[in-house]
Amino acid sequence: MKFEYQGLSDAEAQESRSRDGSNALTQRQTETFWDKLVNNFKDPIIIILVVALGITVLLAVLGFAPWYEGMGIAIAVAMATLVATWSEYSNENEFQRLMEEASKVQVKVFRNGKLVEIGIDEVVKGDYVLLQPGDNIPADGVLVAGFLEVNESALTGESESIKKKPAEDEENFNEEKNGLARAALIDDGEGVMHVTAVGDHTTYGASVKEIAQAETRLSPLQAKLAGLGNAISKFGYYGASFIALSFMFNHIFLESSGWAEYFSQDAGVIAYHVVTAVVLAIIIIVVAVPEGLPMMIAVVLSLNMRKLLRANVLVRKLLGIETSGSLTVLFTDKTGTLTEGRLQVADVLSGDGQHFERLDGVPQGLQQNIVFALRNNTTASVDTSNPDDPQIVGANPTEKALLQFLGRNLAEHDEVKVVANIPFNSAYKFSAVQVEGSQSATLIKGAGEVVLAGCTHYLDANGERKPIDPQVLDTEIKGMAGRAMRIIGLALSDQPLGTETTLPQGMTLVTLFGLRDQMRPESRPAVQRSHAAGIQVVMITGDSRDTAEAIAKEVSIVESDDQVVITSKELGEMSDDEVKATLPKLRVVARALPTDKSRLVRVAKEMNWVVGMTGDGVNDAPAVKNADVGFAMGSGTDLTKESGHIVILDNNFLSITNAVLYGRTLLKSIRKFLIFQLSVNVSAILVAFLAPFFGTDLPLTMTQLLWINIVMDTLAAFAFAGEAALNRYMREKPIPKDTPLITGDMWSAILVDGAFIAIFSLFFLTSDWVQSLFPCPSGEEGAWCTGAGDSNLVHLTAFFGYFVFVSNFNKFNARTEGINLFEHLTDNKNFLQVVALIFVLQISFTYLGGNILRTVALSLDQWIYIIGFAALIIPVDLTRKLIRNSFFGNPVVE
């Protein structure tokens, strides 16, 4: 079909662009690296660290602390923020680059009397655009010439193509019959569109604006971290104040006789005590803050993001992984997510009630008639250059499924010519073609009930006509409909086609096809996996109620009679309160509209649920954006992908459950790290506070505490970052948003292990027997001991090693909730490497630390003693776990 239009001149196009704008959509403002970095500094833990760093630097400037004491905190802050920022920034840039490459669309427009190709952003209001099969409509407009079949699923969610015809009056055209909208796809036909709206003024542009206004809220992890940050702040302030006051109390009332005697001393001594109390308080605050937590989270997120990418899950927002682990409800599409996303012939029903799954299983006489009737009653073009794989062009999904069913038979040719035809129309629901030649007949194809109503006979296995028994077919058809199949009838007649769009009388039924979008074989197990994980799955589909319910039962979304299946109309008639009351039992929304998704997300969030939403079309983007975690399908529109937190590259529901599993693994890893880290912090604080009352003024120096922070925070972050994603996590219920990050069992581990380390540390420092194991070398008292009555440096060095080693052994306790400390140990190579590295570094730094770390050399026997004492933490925690299991049950689900 050849079209000729003058189109706009260059000057007219420029004027239109100045008056009505270009076709470029307003770009959503993306965060720069600096913006992301600043936002990461708003993390509550990071804020505490920055305050502690500032105080430490101030003390160093005033001369109360060496300059390098703040270095560890600075390193922790820098690494935590930079790792998270760079991960998000680099992945976001890569995503944007891919989006830009995908959006470099060329559009065919008439300009200056010629047909030219221009970029989609250059289209202006008033342009005449040539549209052909496979083109995406670049703007809103009206069809003025030709005929088109348009797939508007990206806008409406409906997969059926809509026929468009030229408007008789451009000023008063019918939107449904003549209107064209940006982002829709041309399935078939050829035509010219007159552009009436561009850029932000299009339907697509309106969706972009809604996305920009979408609400956001803290993820469950962010909320939990905020609570933990507040708790640590209070603990640090109160604890530091208490320790500072206790320090002063010791000097005023225990070492002196009271206020009068104490304040009779030299003012410099008093000032020294006050400054020392403040420094001690700050040390406690610094030790109390788990510096490695933010970096550990960043590292875990980054590692899991790479693992998920290999599993066809692209994480655009790092916290999207964590949020997916907390999902309580998942609203999911059907097509392409639970199903394979393409119609197929699933069943063939002959007129005598027999079923066949494949064409080669159909008796030869009947098979020949099926092939002839389908091959010659189609408007599609077939490329037979490769007879083994004929390519179908310009067919709607139903037509394509029927033609693909023929396989290699589609490449063959019949010596016939078309005499008359009636194209398919949704009003009369059939198409018919009259052919003459090697076989002369009228071929009819259409909705099963329409075709069957006009049939009096059927073709048997030998291709002979027999009287039809409607009751036999009616029973079989109901069974097919119950399996969510769409019934298409195929018939023939020896009567010629008339001029009216009515079926011939007394037709002969060839066969009935059962078409369906086949379920992915992994969908049912994946849905059941979600249910086991406590996630309510709600299917939102454009199918009819009966079809939707049949599919939902097949895939295990609907499992009992009390679960609710409603239509969009019924949902619209319900108030928000009624929706909230229904939502816990809701499983299917049929005949759904785009607005239903957004409403369900909003209502579920008001119930404080953690909400997931899948989507692929433009109409889905607002709901995907507003959900706590939006899953955009890889085959979806660019806008939806930009709106989502996670892109499911293979459109597979199973991939969504994998994202949930990794999200739960992340939270498990964070909690393991916190058990380990806070056990170290509790014990370090208790030792720093109590040791002076037992005769050791400074069991761990500020520099040693700094080193402990580095090896126990920074390196430990890497140790717990690679924990395996265990399937048993998907048999646990979602953790409510308001649940504290630290559970009761975690507190028991922190307090028991921390208290044991502290008590044994005091025993280590005060026991004469222990001290006898680490004596000053003979003849070296002046160099190795600090003076009469004080601990020798060998003993203090041994204590320093013991404290690092006992914490290192405690990693094994923290990484599993069960008794088996070796469970999946080899799956996390980072863990064993970090544990080994800390042992090597501690021994090495003992010999190299000198005055900076207050260490001296130790003998092999002394290292064996230290390791033996440190390993006692393992049977202590195992005893705690056995007692817990006896009274409260084992939390590990096997």
Side-chain angles (χ1 to χ4, degrees):
M1 193 178 297
K2 186 173 178 60
F3 301 101
E4 293 185 2
Y5 280 83
Q6 178 64 31
L8 300 177
S9 66
D10 291 339
E12 288 170 333
Q14 183 59 44
E15 181 183 350
S16 176
R17 186 177 294 107
S18 301
R19 182 180 63 251
D20 300 306
S22 76
N23 200 37
L25 295 172
T26 300
Q27 294 296 314
R28 294 193 304 123
Q29 190 172 6
T30 57
E31 288 184 319
T32 64
F33 181 87
W34 177 251
D35 292 333
K36 290 181 181 292
L37 185 62
V38 170
N39 285 334
N40 281 325
F41 267 97
K42 296 177 182 178
D43 184 286
I45 303 293
I46 294 293
I47 292 172
I48 297 172
L49 285 174
V50 171
V51 172
L53 175 61
I55 295 173
T56 306
V57 170
L58 178 62
L59 290 173
V61 171
L62 296 176
F64 294 110
W67 62 270
Y68 49 77
E69 289 191 348
M71 187 180 297
I73 303 174
I75 292 172
V77 170
M79 291 187 68
T81 52
L82 289 174
V83 168
T85 302
W86 180 253
S87 296
E88 276 201 14
Y89 180 73
S90 59
N91 283 280
E92 183 70 14
N93 277 359
E94 178 64 16
F95 179 81
Q96 291 299 331
R97 186 187 67 79
L98 293 174
M99 290 293 99
E100 288 172 8
E101 288 293 325
S103 64
K104 290 180 179 178
V105 177
Q106 294 293 303
V107 179
K108 300 176 285 288
V109 302
F110 292 94
R111 290 275 179 91
N112 303 304
K114 298 178 181 179
L115 183 64
V116 297
E117 286 194 352
I118 62 174
I120 187 172
D121 291 350
E122 300 302 313
V123 174
V124 297
K125 183 177 180 180
D127 265 329
Y128 287 88
V129 179
L130 176 63
L131 296 172
Q132 296 173 313
D135 289 345
N136 279 295
I137 298 175
D140 287 359
V142 55
L143 184 63
V144 295
F147 293 89
L148 297 173
E149 288 189 16
V150 181
N151 186 329
E152 295 183 343
S153 59
L155 296 164
T156 65
E158 295 294 332
S159 59
E160 282 297 311
S161 297
I162 298 174
K163 294 183 181 295
K164 302 284 185 177
K165 63 181 182 179
E168 297 177 1
D169 180 2
E170 276 195 55
E171 298 297 325
N172 300 293
F173 67 91
N174 183 289
E175 185 68 41
E176 183 176 349
K177 295 179 180 179
N178 320 120
L180 300 170
R182 179 168 181 162
L185 176 68
I186 306 301
D187 273 346
D188 197 11
E190 191 174 25
V192 176
M193 175 184 74
H194 189 203
V195 176
T196 59
V198 293
D200 293 341
H201 302 291
T202 62
T203 306
Y204 187 93
S207 296
V208 172
K209 288 182 180 179
E210 187 174 352
I211 295 304
Q213 296 169 356
E215 63 176 277
T216 58
R217 65 174 177 175
L218 291 178
S219 76
L221 178 59
Q222 287 174 318
K224 289 180 174 66
L225 287 176
L228 178 62
N230 291 333
I232 290 175
S233 297
K234 292 178 181 177
F235 174 76
Y237 298 147
Y238 295 146
S241 300
F242 176 75
I243 290 173
L245 291 173
S246 298
F247 178 86
M248 295 303 297
F249 180 86
N250 181 49
H251 282 283
I252 295 172
F253 295 102
L254 299 183
E255 294 185 2
S256 301
S257 301
W259 294 101
E261 181 181 341
Y262 180 75
F263 283 105
S264 66
Q265 299 179 89
D266 182 75
V269 174
I270 297 174
Y272 175 77
H273 287 164
V274 172
V275 170
T276 303
V278 172
V279 172
L280 181 61
I282 293 171
I283 292 173
I284 297 304
I285 293 175
V286 172
V287 172
V289 177
E291 293 100 313
L293 180 59
M295 188 182 68
M296 182 265 180
I297 293 170
V299 171
V300 171
L301 287 170
S302 298
L303 288 177
N304 281 343
M305 185 174 64
R306 294 186 183 93
K307 292 177 183 177
L308 282 166
L309 188 58
R310 292 193 290 270
N312 294 309
V313 178
L314 171 63
V315 181
R316 296 192 57 242
K317 301 293 183 183
L318 293 180
L319 282 172
I321 305 177
E322 175 272 328
T323 308
S324 64
S326 302
L327 286 182
T328 51
V329 63
L330 174 60
F331 297 106
T332 179
D333 291 324
K334 178 206 73 175
T335 305
T337 305
L338 295 169
T339 67
E340 295 181 355
R342 58 189 180 91
L343 277 178
Q344 302 174 66
V345 175
D347 196 0
V348 178
L349 177 65
S350 64
D352 56 359
Q354 295 186 62
H355 292 270
F356 308 96
E357 292 185 2
R358 298 186 308 275
L359 181 63
D360 56 14
V362 178
Q364 190 65 31
L366 181 58
Q367 183 183 135
Q368 291 176 350
N369 282 280
I370 291 175
V371 171
F372 180 82
L374 284 180
R375 197 162 55 203
N376 294 288
N377 183 5
T378 179
T379 58
S381 299
V382 181
D383 180 1
T384 59
S385 56
N386 181 2
D388 292 329
D389 186 22
Q391 299 299 306
I392 303 164
V393 181
N396 62 39
T398 301
E399 186 90 348
K400 190 171 184 178
L402 292 171
L403 294 177
Q404 286 177 331
F405 180 69
L406 299 183
R408 296 183 61 185
N409 294 290
L410 185 58
E412 298 176 6
H413 181 68
D414 297 298
E415 295 297 329
V416 296
K417 67 176 182 177
V418 176
V419 177
N421 75 300
I422 300 174
F424 180 84
N425 187 289
S426 57
Y428 41 81
K429 296 183 179 179
F430 73 88
S431 66
V433 174
Q434 182 184 344
V435 297
E436 291 181 353
S438 59
Q439 183 176 345
S440 298
T442 297
L443 312 174
I444 302 94
K445 178 179 65 184
E449 68 276 13
V450 173
V451 173
L452 194 58
C455 293
T456 57
H457 292 75
Y458 73 92
L459 292 181
D460 67 5
N462 299 316
E464 297 180 1
R465 295 176 78 244
K466 297 258 180 96
I468 203 166
D469 185 348
Q471 290 186 344
V472 171
L473 290 178
D474 184 58
T475 301
E476 299 302 323
I477 289 171
K478 285 181 179 178
M480 293 168 71
R483 291 160 57 199
M485 292 185 184
R486 182 181 175 193
I487 311 300
I488 301 294
L490 189 64
L492 54 80
S493 173
D494 54 9
Q495 296 183 27
L497 282 178
T499 55
E500 298 181 1
T501 55
T502 55
L503 287 171
Q505 296 298 310
M507 297 187 300
T508 301
L509 178 70
V510 179
T511 190
L512 291 167
F513 296 101
L515 273 68
R516 63 172 291 170
D517 186 359
Q518 293 283 43
M519 289 293 148
R520 294 179 184 269
E522 61 271 24
S523 289
R524 182 183 177 92
V527 170
Q528 292 172 335
R529 188 188 195 197
S530 298
H531 290 167
I535 302 171
Q536 178 180 330
V537 180
V538 180
M539 185 177 79
I540 301 178
T541 176
D543 289 331
S544 67
R545 182 186 191 126
D546 291 342
T547 300
E549 185 170 5
I551 292 171
K553 287 180 178 178
E554 180 179 350
V555 80
S556 288
I557 289 177
V558 173
E559 297 179 303
S560 63
D561 293 337
D562 65 335
Q563 293 174 338
V564 177
V565 177
I566 63 174
T567 63
S568 174
K569 182 180 179 182
E570 292 169 335
L571 179 65
E573 292 171 351
M574 299 168 68
S575 67
D576 282 358
D577 288 340
E578 290 173 325
V579 174
K580 289 177 182 178
T582 305
L583 201 49
K585 291 188 176 182
L586 181 64
R587 295 297 181 271
V588 178
V589 179
R591 296 297 188 200
L593 299 174
T595 52
D596 295 333
K597 287 189 172 185
S598 294
R599 186 186 182 199
L600 288 169
V601 167
R602 176 179 56 80
V603 171
K605 287 171 73 173
E606 288 175 359
M607 297 171 67
N608 206 33
W609 288 9
V610 180
V611 184
M613 173 65 75
T614 72
D616 53 8
V618 174
N619 57 299
D620 296 333
V624 169
K625 177 71 173 180
N626 276 314
D628 289 305
V629 54
F631 297 96
M633 297 298 108
S635 62
T637 61
D638 293 350
L639 179 62
T640 309
K641 292 176 188 176
E642 290 181 0
S643 304
H645 306 89
I646 294 174
V647 179
I648 305 299
L649 299 176
D650 61 353
N651 298 355
N652 199 328
F653 191 88
L654 179 63
S655 298
I656 298 176
T657 64
N658 287 334
V660 173
L661 172 59
Y662 277 101
R664 294 189 171 191
T665 303
L666 166 64
L667 187 58
K668 293 282 187 180
S669 298
I670 291 171
R671 284 182 158 170
K672 292 173 183 180
F673 176 81
L674 284 173
I675 291 173
F676 163 76
Q677 178 64 66
L678 295 180
S679 298
V680 175
N681 292 355
V682 166
S683 58
I685 290 169
L686 288 174
V687 170
F689 171 58
L690 295 174
F693 295 97
F694 286 84
T696 305
D697 287 336
L698 205 60
L700 294 169
T701 67
M702 183 70 171
T703 311
Q704 287 175 339
L705 285 171
L706 168 63
W707 171 243
I708 289 171
N709 272 349
I710 291 175
V711 297
M712 297 305 151
D713 282 11
T714 308
L715 293 180
F718 288 97
F720 289 102
E723 284 295 286
L726 305 180
N727 285 324
R728 72 161 182 254
Y729 298 159
M730 293 297 285
R731 296 193 290 273
E732 301 174 5
K733 299 306 178 186
I735 298 172
K737 288 183 64 175
D738 53 358
T739 299
L741 196 55
I742 303 176
T743 64
D745 184 56
M746 290 173 65
W747 276 122
S748 74
I750 292 166
L751 296 177
V752 169
D753 296 346
F756 171 79
I757 294 172
I759 292 169
F760 196 89
S761 293
L762 294 173
F763 171 75
F764 194 107
L765 289 168
T766 58
S767 168
D768 292 336
W769 171 68
V770 173
Q771 290 192 45
S772 69
L773 300 176
F774 306 99
C776 290
S778 176
E780 298 289 343
E781 285 80 0
W784 294 74
C785 297
T786 57
D790 289 334
S791 298
N792 68 74
L793 288 182
V794 177
H795 183 215
L796 290 175
T797 299
F799 174 70
F800 179 35
Y802 159 78
F803 197 86
V804 173
F805 283 6
V806 73
S807 300
N808 212 23
F809 277 118
N810 199 34
K811 284 190 180 75
F812 290 91
N813 294 324
R815 67 167 295 273
T816 176
E817 298 167 286
I819 301 298
N820 181 10
L821 301 185
F822 300 101
E823 179 191 30
H824 298 281
L825 182 60
T826 56
D827 292 339
N828 182 2
K829 296 181 176 60
N830 289 350
F831 184 86
L832 293 174
Q833 291 170 357
V834 168
V835 168
L837 179 63
I838 289 176
F839 278 122
V840 171
L841 288 177
Q842 181 62 28
I843 293 172
S844 301
F845 273 55
T846 296
Y847 292 97
L848 301 174
N851 292 331
I852 294 177
L853 282 177
R854 198 187 66 180
T855 57
V856 293
L858 299 177
S859 67
L860 178 61
D861 288 348
Q862 290 169 336
W863 282 118
I864 293 173
Y865 295 143
I866 292 171
I867 291 173
F869 289 141
L872 292 175
I873 189 64
I874 289 179
V876 168
D877 192 70
L878 287 176
T879 302
R880 179 192 68 83
K881 289 176 179 177
L882 287 171
I883 294 173
R884 175 204 63 193
N885 294 351
S886 300
F887 291 96
F888 303 102
N890 191 343
V892 177
V893 181
E894 297 296 349

